[in-house]
Amino acid sequence: MQILAAQWAVGAAWRTPYSWIRHNISDLGNVHCGTWDVSRPRYVCSPLHDVMNVSFAAHGVLLLAGALLTGAACWGRGGISLTARILFLLNAGAWVLVGFVPADVDENLHVLGALIIMGIGNIGLLCTGFLRRAAPLGRLRPITLAVAVIALAGAAMFFGQHDPGIGMGTLERIAAFGTDAWVLVAALTLLRSRIRPTRHSRHAHLGGAAAAPIRIT
């Protein structure tokens, strides 16, 4: 949620209009002003670029913490579970990388981070779609697979420069934030699963107390 808020705030600070449809996400973190990108020339000048880059890095740290703190109880066991979590960790590290290395500082490293996020990260999400159904995250299989396919398709079109009419900026967001949309759904699902047993046990306890016989002496 914080990275979404940061994009709105940083984009609003541009003197020239920032377009979520036409501009890249990385344009918000560029440290220099000027015409950028040979393939799609556009003017970039982001006064609050530091805010955006800190947000990128913080986003990676939060994803990293989530992937490490949710264990086998959430992901299940087996090779597909381990693979999915490793790919999620790589995705998290890539967000930290793009935060520390803006596109106009070291384009090669920045593009590497973007490739990991939109490629390996989405493959990790696809693997998550095949977790065992006994695992809490495995029960999200239909939505997980749907989001993974959409995100991977967005990544393929973005890197192939094939705009179906929704804008390259939109394509990049579909590719980059599909995993994050799933993470939000997964987090709410896990939270709900923790609250529900607590409520049931509380009701059972109260019911047991109410049903207990009362002796009068």
Side-chain angles (χ1 to χ4, degrees):
M1 297 303 293
Q2 64 84 22
I3 199 170
L4 179 63
Q7 288 180 77
W8 279 108
V10 175
W14 281 39
R15 294 181 180 177
T16 55
Y18 175 81
S19 171
W20 285 53
I21 296 174
R22 190 171 63 88
H23 284 92
N24 285 4
I25 305 167
S26 300
D27 293 347
L28 295 168
N30 278 18
V31 300
H32 303 107
C33 293
T35 302
W36 170 251
D37 197 343
V38 176
S39 61
R40 289 187 298 116
R42 58 196 180 276
Y43 184 73
V44 173
C45 190
S46 185
L48 299 181
H49 57 267
D50 286 336
V51 173
M52 194 69 250
N53 289 324
V54 169
S55 178
F56 286 148
H59 186 57
V61 171
L62 290 171
L63 289 174
L64 185 68
L68 291 174
L69 292 174
T70 50
C74 297
W75 295 82
R77 299 185 183 279
I80 195 70
S81 171
L82 180 61
T83 300
R85 292 183 71 193
I86 290 174
L87 296 182
F88 262 81
L89 291 173
L90 290 173
N91 173 58
W95 278 108
V96 177
L97 175 63
V98 300
F100 277 97
V101 185
D104 61 343
V105 172
D106 191 325
E107 187 176 9
N108 291 332
L109 272 179
H110 191 89
V111 169
L112 174 62
L115 282 169
I116 294 173
I117 291 168
M118 291 183 267
I120 291 177
N122 288 329
I123 292 173
L125 183 59
L126 185 64
C127 291
T128 305
F130 294 99
L131 294 178
R132 295 177 181 175
R133 290 187 181 274
L137 295 180
R139 297 175 197 139
L140 296 174
R141 179 173 295 181
I143 189 172
T144 304
L145 291 176
V147 173
V149 169
I150 292 171
L152 283 168
M157 287 188 286
F158 175 76
F159 286 115
Q161 299 288 300
H162 299 302
D163 179 10
I166 61 176
M168 296 302 293
T170 305
L171 275 178
E172 186 185 29
R173 283 173 171 82
I174 291 172
F177 294 122
T179 298
D180 301 308
W182 176 87
V183 165
L184 180 59
V185 172
L188 292 174
T189 301
L190 293 176
L191 180 62
R192 184 181 178 187
S193 68
R194 288 180 63 86
I195 292 174
R196 187 182 297 168
T198 302
R199 287 178 176 173
H200 287 336
S201 62
R202 189 175 299 169
H203 289 320
H205 176 72
L206 291 174
I214 300 175
R215 294 183 180 180
I216 300 176
T217 58

